[in-house]
Amino acid sequence: MAFSLFHFTLVLLLSCFASSLLHCHGFPALHHHRHPRFASHNYRDALTKSILFFEGQRSGKLPSNQRITWRRDSGLSDGAAMHVNLVGGYYDAGDNVKFGFPMAFTATMLSWSVIEFGGLMKGELQNAKAAIRWATDYLLKATVHPDTIYVQVGDANKDHSCWERPEDMDTPRSVFKVDRNSPGSDVAAETAAALAAASLVFRRSDPTYSKLLVRRAIRVFQFADKYRGAYSNGLKKNVCPFYCSYSGYEDELLWGAAWLHKATKNPTYLNYIQVNGQTLGAAEFDNTFGWDNKHVGARILLSKAFLVQKLQSLHDYKGHADNFICSIIPGAPFSSAQYTPGGLLFKMSDSNMQYVTSTSFLLLTYAKYLTSARKFVNCGRAIVTPNRLRNIAKKQVDYLLGDNPLRMSYMVGYGPRYPRRIHHRGSSLPSIAVHPAKIQCSSGFSVMKSQSPNPNILVGAVVGGPDRHDRFPDQRSDYEQSEPSTYINAPLVGALAYLAHSFGQL
């Protein structure tokens, strides 16, 4: 009797301990996979809109099924300056420049979103794939010549001195490249990652395209690794301060190798990771994941190989991934993350929401790997459950969608109150349909500085977001808070697919 009573007490204590872990720091224990009856948000609607946004960022010849109809063809001679076809791809944010570095990262994260959560997306899967292909078709053009990548179209400084629609562009469409003489391991390895990740997305639905992507990824990664250097060394005046490679190129080499390992299963890449992982910064304590620094993403991705595929040689990446997760969790022993009074993860004042969406995606993805392996996160003496990670991610996404002190959705077109004056040229100026005549370079600045709402709703665009005190002025000139970008939305697509499915909305 005493023996069974001891076991009953032990079970009771353990269950209370687990329960306290899930409830501490104000995060309720929600068992998402059991389809709760009530969700405060329509995640399915937000998912649809988060993907639709990419159609508003398209450059090139728009297809007949284009859904954001106030946009028209643009940049149809892109690449002509170097006698190469660079038509297509995405404008990164609210300007009319095609920056290859963040475009490649966008493609990688859209692909990862589909790889992890595409099976839950139902009717949105085809739209997500179309968004990926619009980027990868362009990246194939940008890598058509061996040991060369065309990494930018448009002179950013001259572009930013105009406020004009992409359809009216008359600023120089200069083309910038990296090659053996002026290397760019960062942008090259990120491009390889994007092509490799996308090859997995299309493996079943379009095997020919998938093989083309993976073959190109292999070649581009070889170039990245063989000719080492940061692209912003040779192209400083063109890519800085816009997309300078502040973190160096080691993180992209690790990230690119991780994706090629996943896409090819070639032991060469596993060996590369084992030999070079430490020198490429696998164990560093940086905890910001975005278009510049990929270390954290590589750690999470490689942890799957250990947790799910049982690759013992990558055992250390579970610890590296845990270190990142522990830095995010409020109140954990090694927590270093800052949150606004309203509860939003706050990394920096310029386009902070990109870190909210990327971190939320990583939390949900790591929770998936941990659940599959029946493991937890070890934060010193504290044990953190996968559900706790899901709850933190959900809270971040809910804040973005309107659960915040301003009751403001930071996704344009979602909810009753959202940003009306986003820092975006095409959205802020009258459309071609309304105003067919050309709007000159400087004429648009009167609109940019005005208080009138944007006439064209860029549905699904997520802006930079509030400041560290949860304030948001909704000013068009405030690019730090009011500008959307492709790399804010890309990881959010995966997070919203998970949440929509979890609450029975898909």
Side-chain angles (χ1 to χ4, degrees):
M1 186 70 184
F3 181 77
S4 59
L5 183 63
F6 165 77
H7 270 79
F8 173 78
T9 308
L10 183 64
V11 168
L12 190 66
L13 282 169
L14 284 170
S15 66
C16 289
F17 175 61
S19 172
S20 70
L21 278 172
L22 290 170
H23 285 87
C24 60
H25 311 303
F27 293 100
L30 293 173
H31 298 283
H32 293 234
H33 46 279
R34 292 186 190 162
H35 291 239
R37 291 185 198 134
F38 174 75
S40 58
H41 287 287
N42 186 339
Y43 300 116
R44 181 177 186 165
D45 182 48
L47 171 65
T48 297
K49 288 170 176 172
S50 71
I51 298 169
L52 180 59
F53 157 74
F54 289 95
E55 296 193 17
Q57 297 302 111
R58 284 172 169 172
S59 180
K61 179 106 184 124
L62 302 185
S64 58
N65 62 354
Q66 170 81 11
R67 293 178 294 167
I68 293 190
T69 52
W70 51 264
R71 281 294 325 282
R72 298 288 170 87
D73 298 348
S74 61
L76 296 181
S77 62
D78 280 1
M82 278 199 182
H83 309 290
V84 61
N85 177 6
L86 296 175
V87 176
Y90 289 116
Y91 302 118
D92 69 303
D95 57 22
N96 302 324
V97 183
K98 296 194 302 207
F99 294 99
F101 195 24
M103 198 196 305
F105 178 67
T106 295
T108 310
M109 292 310 297
L110 272 174
S111 296
W112 201 2
S113 287
V114 168
I115 289 163
E116 297 299 344
F117 304 112
L120 314 178
M121 287 181 184
K122 301 282 176 69
E124 287 306 322
L125 179 58
Q126 289 312 114
N127 291 324
K129 284 182 169 182
I132 294 166
R133 191 159 187 154
W134 197 269
T136 51
D137 280 353
Y138 175 83
L139 294 175
L140 287 170
K141 294 176 180 180
T143 56
V144 70
H145 296 133
D147 294 345
T148 302
I149 305 179
Y150 299 97
V151 297
Q152 186 173 316
V153 180
D155 182 318
N157 289 298
K158 289 178 178 170
D159 179 90
H160 289 187
S161 69
C162 293
W163 192 266
E164 60 186 354
R165 304 176 294 199
E167 296 85 357
D168 285 338
M169 272 188 298
D170 50 11
T171 52
R173 299 303 283 170
S174 310
V175 177
F176 303 98
K177 67 175 180 175
V178 296
D179 55 24
R180 297 179 188 185
N181 300 319
S182 181
S185 301
D186 32 32
V187 67
E190 181 60 62
T191 302
L195 296 168
S199 77
L200 291 165
V201 170
F202 295 102
R203 180 165 282 173
R204 287 184 184 168
S205 59
D206 193 339
T208 304
Y209 188 63
S210 174
K211 284 170 188 166
L212 172 63
L213 291 170
V214 80
R215 281 197 303 268
R216 188 66 58 84
I218 291 166
R219 190 177 86 187
V220 171
F221 185 79
Q222 286 172 339
F223 164 64
D225 190 42
K226 186 174 180 181
Y227 300 98
R228 292 197 180 189
Y231 90 131
S232 43
N233 291 346
L235 295 174
K236 189 167 188 177
K237 68 180 189 295
N238 308 114
V239 302
C240 298
F242 316 103
Y243 293 103
C244 244
S245 183
Y246 298 104
S247 69
Y249 58 79
E250 290 84 2
D251 53 306
E252 278 85 17
L253 288 175
L254 182 63
W255 173 242
W259 276 110
L260 277 158
H261 164 65
K262 188 173 176 66
T264 67
K265 300 288 188 287
N266 187 324
T268 305
Y269 296 106
L270 179 59
N271 183 62
Y272 181 94
I273 292 160
Q274 290 166 340
V275 171
N276 299 292
Q278 294 308 305
T279 57
L280 296 178
E284 285 179 19
F285 281 95
D286 45 2
N287 59 5
T288 300
F289 180 52
W291 61 262
D292 183 32
N293 195 331
K294 320 295 161 43
H295 274 138
V296 171
R299 288 172 202 140
I300 299 286
L301 184 63
L302 289 170
S303 75
K304 181 181 185 179
F306 166 68
L307 286 167
V308 181
Q309 284 126 17
K310 310 299 183 198
L311 262 178
Q312 293 301 317
S313 61
L314 296 178
H315 169 273
D316 289 352
Y317 286 89
K318 163 72 164 69
H320 300 329
D322 281 3
N323 288 340
F324 162 69
I325 298 295
C326 298
S327 77
I328 294 298
I329 293 179
F334 307 112
S335 179
S336 59
Q338 292 182 308
Y339 289 82
T340 68
L344 184 71
L345 176 68
F346 195 84
K347 287 281 187 182
M348 57 185 70
S349 58
D350 188 356
S351 191
N352 178 64
M353 207 60 91
Q354 65 180 300
Y355 305 111
V356 175
T357 60
S358 65
T359 301
S360 298
F361 174 84
L362 291 181
L363 287 166
L364 292 172
T365 299
Y366 197 48
K368 179 184 170 185
Y369 300 165
L370 290 167
T371 300
S372 176
R374 299 183 178 179
K375 300 283 188 193
F376 301 97
V377 179
N378 299 304
C379 297
R381 285 170 293 182
I383 302 295
V384 181
T385 64
N387 260 3
R388 179 78 195 286
L389 306 190
R390 294 185 182 107
N391 297 335
I392 295 171
K394 179 183 179 295
K395 187 174 182 186
Q396 294 304 302
V397 174
D398 286 350
Y399 183 111
L400 185 157
L401 294 177
D403 290 3
N404 55 63
L406 296 181
R407 292 286 171 255
M408 162 82 80
S409 158
Y410 290 102
M411 176 185 285
V412 173
Y414 176 87
R417 187 165 184 236
Y418 53 81
R420 301 285 176 170
R421 290 177 286 277
I422 66 171
H423 182 94
H424 190 279
R425 286 158 175 77
S427 171
S428 69
L429 293 163
S431 68
I432 298 287
V434 171
H435 190 290
K438 182 181 172 77
I439 299 172
Q440 298 294 336
C441 163
S442 55
S443 304
F445 280 109
S446 59
V447 172
M448 195 270 270
K449 294 168 185 169
S450 78
Q451 290 299 309
S452 57
N454 288 12
N456 309 309
I457 308 300
L458 184 56
V459 175
V462 179
V463 296
D467 67 13
R468 66 175 67 249
H469 304 291
D470 299 296
R471 297 175 302 205
F472 182 76
D474 197 10
Q475 291 287 347
R476 197 177 288 109
S477 58
D478 182 359
Y479 63 86
E480 290 194 345
Q481 290 183 251
S482 291
E483 188 168 17
S485 72
T486 58
Y487 45 87
I488 296 178
N489 275 56
L492 182 61
V493 168
L496 288 170
Y498 172 78
L499 290 168
H501 173 77
S502 297
F503 284 90
Q505 297 172 358
L506 279 171

